[in-house]
Amino acid sequence: KAGVTQTPRYLIKTRGQQVTLSCSPISGHRSVSWYQQTPGQGLQFLFEYFSETQRNKGNFPGRFSGRQFSNSRSEMNVSTLELGDSALYLCASSGQGAETQYFGPGTRLLVL
Amino acid sequence: AQSVTQPDIHITVSEGASLELRCNYSYGATPYLFWYVQSPGQGLQLLLKYFSGDTLVQGIKGFEAEFKRSQSSFNLRKPSVHWSDAAEYFCAVGPGFHPGNTPLVFGKGTRLSVIA
């Protein structure tokens, strides 16, 4: 089985712009979670989608949003980018029980 | 609230030496515990997991971990470290089989350096 894929792998944006990141889960997985990883804060949970519904949400501002499509692919969007949004964004997928999450390679976002 | 503590920020070991990375957790229910490894610029790779049963679990790349409920610990071990093991290691506690529970909570990570 192919693993979790994320596109693009690298992005450079400027403050105030918006960005959309994409994640394709492992085939058959219906749960997709997003995490932000920074040197200072470590790995922080953004949100989780299951069957096109947001099932859980972390403590991030409303500028961070996501969605999931009927094929379980997910996107996350960050609007009005700030310098502090520079991070590695990781997507993880899991199966029915959501007990084990498998991570993609991440998208590294740099905001200038 | 759930939390995971990895007391060691950075560990350096010689190639061929044994390794133990510490992890302590705080969780209200029976924990589901994980160890992930991250190489520079990469995502997280699952090393092993503990859900129930035998408290000593085997993982990939020769790693094992032992769950000790009385100590709230889930330490990762490897008897002989290889240079390719140099990476960042993350311990995490998860929600188990109930959808909608809180997501994975990660420790801050332990960076492992391996010297010749």
Side-chain angles (χ1 to χ4, degrees):
Chain A
K1 267 187 184 178
V4 178
T5 58
Q6 292 186 245
T7 57
R9 292 293 310 278
Y10 304 94
L11 265 180
I12 300 175
K13 294 286 187 179
T14 56
R15 277 182 300 171
Q17 287 186 309
Q18 75 163 11
V19 66
T20 299
L21 312 182
S22 181
C23 171
S24 292
I26 291 171
S27 177
H29 284 188
R30 294 164 64 190
S31 170
V32 173
S33 298
W34 288 88
Y35 294 83
Q36 181 196 64
Q37 185 179 26
T38 59
Q41 299 299 316
L43 282 149
Q44 297 185 93
F45 172 74
L46 282 156
F47 28 66
E48 184 219 357
Y49 286 86
F50 181 84
S51 293
E52 302 180 66
T53 301
Q54 187 180 87
R55 194 161 64 175
N56 219 325
K57 189 177 188 303
N59 189 26
F60 277 80
R63 301 185 295 107
F64 292 82
S65 63
R67 59 177 176 168
Q68 186 179 34
F69 302 95
S70 58
N71 62 357
S72 294
R73 188 178 70 85
S74 177
E75 289 181 347
M76 67 163 282
N77 184 275
V78 188
S79 62
T80 319
L81 283 166
E82 301 177 358
L83 295 179
D85 296 333
S86 295
L88 181 66
Y89 290 88
L90 292 163
C91 164
S93 75
S94 54
Q96 181 69 26
E99 68 277 10
T100 302
Q101 296 185 23
Y102 297 90
F103 285 80
T107 294
R108 184 163 297 280
L109 172 65
L110 177 61
V111 182
L112 302 176
Chain B
Q2 297 87 349
S3 67
V4 176
T5 301
Q6 293 181 246
D8 304 305
I9 296 173
H10 183 207
I11 284 181
T12 299
V13 299
S14 299
E15 193 170 16
S18 64
L19 170 71
E20 182 169 29
L21 302 182
R22 296 182 290 164
C23 171
N24 293 96
Y25 66 89
S26 173
Y27 198 75
T30 301
Y32 288 71
L33 295 158
F34 306 84
W35 276 99
Y36 288 87
V37 61
Q38 184 178 36
S39 298
Q42 301 298 314
L44 301 178
Q45 181 182 21
L46 179 68
L47 281 176
L48 47 77
K49 60 188 177 183
Y50 172 78
F51 289 167
S52 64
D54 193 348
T55 57
L56 184 64
V57 293
Q58 303 296 319
I60 62 172
K61 304 186 180 188
F63 286 93
E64 66 178 27
E66 186 171 12
F67 170 60
K68 293 185 177 180
R69 185 186 300 274
S70 61
Q71 298 177 21
S72 298
S73 70
F74 188 56
N75 293 350
L76 182 71
R77 301 194 293 248
K78 186 169 184 178
S80 177
V81 169
H82 188 262
W83 65 267
S84 60
D85 293 325
E88 186 118 24
Y89 291 79
F90 293 92
C91 180
V93 61
F97 289 99
H98 300 286
N101 282 7
T102 53
L104 285 179
V105 174
F106 286 87
K108 294 292 189 183
T110 297
R111 184 161 64 91
L112 173 65
S113 296
V114 180
I115 58 176

